[in-house]
Amino acid sequence: MPPKPRRVTQREIAEIAGVSQTTVSVVLNDRDGKNVRIPAETRARVKQAIEELTYVADPAARRLAGLDNQIIGLFTYEAALSPESMDFYGPLLNGLERAAEQVGWDLLFFTSSPVENGTRSLFHRKTRLRLTDGCVLLGQQMVASELERLVAEQFPFVAIGRRDETAAAVPYVAIDYVTPANELMDQAVAQGHQQALYVHRGTDTPTARDRRLAVEAASADGRLSFLLVGEERIPDLPRLAQATGATVILGEDAFLTEDVVHSLTAAGIGVPDEISVAALAEVRGHRVEGRALAGFHVPREQLAAEALDLLQTLIITDPNEWHTLEIRRLLVAEVRSRETIVPRKAQP
Amino acid sequence: MPPKPRRVTQREIAEIAGVSQTTVSVVLNDRDGKNVRIPAETRARVKQAIEELTYVADPAARRLAGLDNQIIGLFTYEAALSPESMDFYGPLLNGLERAAEQVGWDLLFFTSSPVENGTRSLFHRKTRLRLTDGCVLLGQQMVASELERLVAEQFPFVAIGRRDETAAAVPYVAIDYVTPANELMDQAVAQGHQQALYVHRGTDTPTARDRRLAVEAASADGRLSFLLVGEERIPDLPRLAQATGATVILGEDAFLTEDVVHSLTAAGIGVPDEISVAALAEVRGHRVEGRALAGFHVPREQLAAEALDLLQTLIITDPNEWHTLEIRRLLVAEVRSRETIVPRKAQP
DNA sequence: CTCTCCTGATAATGCGTATCTGCAACTGGA
DNA sequence: TCCAGTTGCAGATACGCATTATCAGGAGAG
């Protein structure tokens, strides 16, 4: 490394203004009490020197002295800025940037984290985590041990996405899929539907479980009768619909639902005229048969704002009081069902 | 601020291993010379303690002690992550992320910089600039005084985009539009064209000047005769083309060129059959008359990689030797002319 | 005239790390 | 046995900032 370029320090300001470094610090922080008093005239002299030399404090020194840095970390378990992930991360990152700008925080992307055992890891030998005041975690596959360590170290952080699987109390903001799922099913019922299919993947994430439970609950209390179908049986859907008399098919996500529609239309079944469809997930940008696919709009910008708000709360609260806080926040997704959930066709 | 959570320090490691803090530092940094010698047995003992306590170095303290942090700053004069700017910044950010990951650097977005006098400013009272080892600057409108201050402070930084207007030697990576512009004009000549129009905006940026100079040079040495036309005269283009006998029209950018095409087709002039068109700029995603608009493809991911490479060079080089480096790098844009530059129609 | 209180500062210290200097304890050679 | 050289560390210090304790000098009270 070349010699670190020397920049203006408080000591230099002090020499020029003819005071001590202490006084400069006091003036900078507008401190004044019974212990320390600086008359207006001296203050002015110091402030002038600060202006002239265009002093800016060294954040590393501030940090070392135990102060905050107004930096928050952003850790993603996959590349955040690649074109592929932009679809998902884009609105979140945009929301984070806007919220950070609002409160005057800088955003540190932990792009350096090396890949170990398949995923990136937050704790490595030179992690810059501790430079930040707090941290936002993004990604489908978080490592439980890292979350637990963050909790144990009482480091302020917020995960985006539900993190109930871990024993420790992980602060998160996430999307409530249950409320809008019920709303969507109620609308289907109001349109005359009685029999339905739910097409799902094999995965067992918290949100997948949520959706399935909502569907099963609706089936159990007689609102809407469901048959649950794995994705491998999509080719068989036309027959299944026929056999069960289903007039609605819900998919776990938008892509799956598109596959469902292809299977139906290939068999000559009209969507949505004969069978209504919807995804219990984000559907922005997804169209089937020239219509906007019914499903949810997830407020992702707001999700980011909420995450930073929660993080800020954690940062300014003593860790020992965290248990008194509401560290899990759910945002309700918005239902958009108009175009592919339509009234049930009169029986022939 | 709540009390700073205490974490593992070298001193604690030292106590457990029964050595001094110095020794821990030496072991961590694998230092060994004639001044300091640690036998393998002691090293092992210290390393074990480090493992057991899962020690990670405090980046702030490292920085204060004059070492590098492996953090580079990213300053944009506009919001970087908004959907509107993604078109332009997206590929750059992606390239930066990938390159940063390669070399193990974290990426600090200066999202906190407040707006003063219309633009964001890099130097404010609490700027975290000095936490970084170097900085990448993005944006159309950079503030000359800030660039000069960075140069004066010998702070390693690289601008993306040409920055010749400033007196001080500003390191940058940018796109060479002149070489591909000449190539494109040569192709037009090879296709039999002799007379052309160049439609430009009123702005006087370095790249705008480059393009105009290239066009004027081609005109001067008789390769291709040009008439330069301001954008306000686009409605008049059909008449101008007729009057000059021009069979090619070049636009300063893709949007301008699209307007040109609309003006021509509205007047019944076939594009590209009767008049070939191209933009002397990025044309990805732009189509006219069902064809990919001719023009350039700017290698933006590569631009980002080149910027980080230059930055890294600056960081590891003593500032006093910077004048010996090639601190301005140009990347040649790729010509894509096939679809809307076609052979000149035989005269009737 | 002495004692106390207030004013306007400053010296000293700590934060965690790296580095430079120094210094015992040992070893080998004469 | 005495000295020079080597081995294996520890002490001191710097980095830039905030904070705590302290201190000299002057004013006011008794």
Side-chain angles (χ1 to χ4, degrees):
Chain A
M1 291 289 298
K4 186 179 169 186
R6 278 200 17 77
R7 301 195 194 86
V8 183
T9 67
Q10 289 188 1
R11 203 196 315 277
E12 292 176 50
I13 304 283
E15 278 171 24
I16 289 180
V19 294
S20 71
Q21 175 259 322
T22 307
T23 306
V24 177
S25 171
V26 167
V27 169
L28 275 167
N29 297 334
D30 272 328
R31 229 158 59 91
D32 212 348
K34 51 175 180 287
N35 281 334
V36 200
R37 287 164 302 257
I38 314 285
E41 192 258 327
T42 309
R43 286 195 122 78
R45 198 153 31 92
V46 173
K47 278 187 173 166
Q48 198 192 336
I50 290 170
E51 284 299 321
E52 280 173 9
L53 299 195
T54 58
Y55 167 87
V56 276
D58 185 329
R62 281 180 60 84
R63 186 74 187 163
L64 201 56
L67 278 85
D68 67 316
N69 253 347
Q70 320 227 117
I71 296 179
I72 57 158
L74 176 64
F75 184 81
T76 59
Y77 282 88
E78 305 94 26
L81 300 170
S82 68
E84 308 86 54
S85 52
M86 259 312 154
D87 241 24
F88 178 72
Y89 283 136
L92 286 174
L93 296 180
N94 179 33
L96 282 176
E97 184 185 34
R98 290 226 304 261
E101 191 167 6
Q102 284 276 325
V103 292
W105 282 348
D106 288 328
L107 220 44
L108 182 60
F109 281 61
F110 293 115
T111 47
S112 75
S113 299
V115 174
E116 287 172 2
N117 310 328
T119 56
R120 277 176 155 186
S121 82
L122 183 50
F123 290 98
H124 60 278
R125 291 300 288 277
K126 302 189 75 175
T127 183
R128 262 71 70 172
L129 181 63
R130 292 164 69 176
L131 215 45
T132 67
D133 296 331
C135 181
V136 172
L137 266 55
L138 275 180
Q140 300 297 322
Q141 297 297 329
M142 297 192 190
V143 178
S145 63
E146 298 199 327
L147 295 178
E148 275 163 10
R149 180 159 172 196
L150 285 170
V151 171
E153 289 194 2
Q154 302 192 317
F155 189 88
F157 79 102
V158 172
I160 292 187
R162 288 190 52 169
R163 287 289 102 92
D164 294 324
E165 66 272 36
T166 323
V170 173
Y172 67 71
V173 297
I175 299 299
D176 171 9
Y177 288 102
V178 174
T179 306
N182 281 321
E183 192 182 325
L184 196 145
M185 290 186 288
D186 288 345
Q187 288 181 13
V189 170
Q191 308 253 39
H193 298 281
Q194 294 172 345
Q195 208 65 35
L197 301 179
Y198 178 61
V199 184
H200 60 91
R201 301 185 188 275
T203 54
D204 187 38
T205 63
T207 57
R209 208 172 317 125
D210 272 2
R211 285 176 254 231
R212 195 156 55 234
L213 288 176
V215 163
E216 286 169 352
S219 207
D221 60 23
R223 275 176 291 162
L224 191 58
S225 286
F226 271 97
L227 176 67
L228 273 63
V229 179
E231 61 174 325
E232 72 286 353
R233 290 164 73 190
I234 288 181
D236 201 28
L237 277 181
R239 198 190 56 78
L240 284 171
Q242 187 89 39
T244 58
T247 54
V248 189
I249 303 185
L250 303 184
E252 185 178 324
D253 63 55
F255 296 98
L256 205 59
T257 312
E258 284 177 345
D259 291 346
V260 165
V261 172
H262 291 147
S263 169
L264 295 176
T265 54
I269 300 175
V271 173
D273 302 326
E274 295 179 68
I275 295 194
S276 291
V277 296
L280 298 185
E282 172 67 53
V283 291
R284 235 171 295 209
H286 289 268
R287 302 185 71 79
V288 295
E289 301 292 297
R291 295 157 178 257
L293 176 62
F296 310 147
H297 279 201
V298 172
R300 275 183 284 197
E301 289 87 351
Q302 199 190 330
L303 196 64
E306 200 72 25
L308 279 208
D309 183 75
L310 175 54
L311 185 56
Q312 194 170 24
T313 305
L314 290 173
I315 290 174
I316 61 176
T317 307
D318 187 302
N320 298 318
E321 303 300 322
W322 283 354
H323 65 274
T324 66
L325 299 174
E326 197 59 63
I327 60 167
R328 305 186 156 181
R329 300 190 186 173
L330 287 176
L331 266 66
V332 180
E334 203 179 321
V335 174
R336 297 296 171 91
S337 67
R338 223 166 2 92
E339 303 203 13
T340 64
I341 295 274
V342 299
R344 181 184 173 191
K345 214 174 54 173
Q347 293 306 307
Chain B
M1 291 289 299
K4 187 179 169 187
R6 275 198 21 76
R7 300 195 196 87
V8 183
T9 68
Q10 288 188 3
R11 205 194 313 278
E12 293 175 50
I13 304 283
E15 277 171 25
I16 290 179
V19 294
S20 71
Q21 175 261 322
T22 306
T23 305
V24 177
S25 172
V26 168
V27 169
L28 275 168
N29 297 332
D30 273 328
R31 227 157 62 89
D32 212 348
K34 53 174 181 284
N35 282 335
V36 222
R37 290 162 301 253
I38 314 287
E41 191 257 327
T42 310
R43 286 194 122 81
R45 198 152 31 94
V46 173
K47 278 187 172 167
Q48 196 194 338
I50 290 171
E51 284 301 319
E52 279 172 10
L53 300 196
T54 58
Y55 167 88
V56 276
D58 185 328
R62 281 178 59 82
R63 184 74 189 165
L64 199 57
L67 278 84
D68 67 315
N69 253 347
Q70 319 223 120
I71 297 179
I72 57 162
L74 176 65
F75 185 82
T76 59
Y77 282 88
E78 306 93 27
L81 300 169
S82 69
E84 308 86 56
S85 52
M86 259 312 153
D87 242 23
F88 177 72
Y89 283 136
L92 286 174
L93 296 180
N94 180 32
L96 282 175
E97 184 185 35
R98 289 225 303 261
E101 191 167 6
Q102 283 277 323
V103 293
W105 282 348
D106 287 329
L107 219 45
L108 182 60
F109 282 59
F110 293 115
T111 47
S112 74
S113 299
V115 174
E116 288 171 1
N117 312 326
T119 56
R120 277 177 157 185
S121 82
L122 184 49
F123 290 99
H124 60 279
R125 290 298 292 278
K126 301 190 75 174
T127 181
R128 262 72 69 173
L129 182 62
R130 292 164 70 176
L131 212 46
T132 67
D133 297 329
C135 181
V136 171
L137 266 56
L138 275 179
Q140 301 297 322
Q141 298 297 330
M142 298 192 189
V143 178
S145 64
E146 297 198 329
L147 294 178
E148 276 163 10
R149 180 160 173 197
L150 285 170
V151 171
E153 289 194 2
Q154 303 192 316
F155 189 86
F157 78 102
V158 172
I160 291 188
R162 287 191 51 168
R163 288 287 100 89
D164 294 322
E165 65 271 35
T166 324
V170 173
Y172 67 71
V173 296
I175 299 300
D176 171 10
Y177 289 103
V178 174
T179 305
N182 281 321
E183 193 182 324
L184 195 144
M185 290 187 289
D186 288 346
Q187 289 181 12
V189 170
Q191 308 252 38
H193 299 280
Q194 295 171 348
Q195 208 64 36
L197 302 179
Y198 179 60
V199 184
H200 60 91
R201 302 185 187 275
T203 54
D204 187 39
T205 64
T207 56
R209 209 173 314 125
D210 272 1
R211 285 177 254 231
R212 196 155 56 233
L213 288 177
V215 163
E216 285 169 354
S219 208
D221 60 21
R223 274 175 290 163
L224 192 57
S225 286
F226 272 98
L227 175 67
L228 273 64
V229 179
E231 60 174 326
E232 73 286 353
R233 290 166 71 191
I234 288 181
D236 202 26
L237 277 182
R239 200 189 55 77
L240 284 171
Q242 186 90 39
T244 58
T247 53
V248 189
I249 303 186
L250 304 184
E252 185 177 324
D253 62 54
F255 296 99
L256 205 58
T257 312
E258 284 177 346
D259 291 346
V260 165
V261 171
H262 290 147
S263 170
L264 294 176
T265 53
I269 299 175
V271 173
D273 302 327
E274 295 181 67
I275 294 194
S276 291
V277 296
L280 298 184
E282 172 68 54
V283 292
R284 235 170 295 210
H286 289 269
R287 302 185 71 80
V288 295
E289 301 293 297
R291 292 157 178 258
L293 175 61
F296 310 147
H297 279 201
V298 172
R300 277 183 281 198
E301 289 88 351
Q302 200 190 330
L303 196 64
E306 199 73 24
L308 280 208
D309 183 74
L310 175 53
L311 185 56
Q312 194 171 23
T313 305
L314 290 173
I315 289 173
I316 62 175
T317 307
D318 188 301
N320 298 317
E321 302 300 322
W322 283 354
H323 64 275
T324 67
L325 299 174
E326 197 60 64
I327 60 167
R328 305 185 156 181
R329 300 190 185 173
L330 287 177
L331 266 66
V332 181
E334 204 179 320
V335 175
R336 296 295 172 94
S337 67
R338 222 163 5 91
E339 304 203 13
T340 65
I341 296 276
V342 300
R344 181 185 172 194
K345 214 174 53 173
Q347 293 307 306

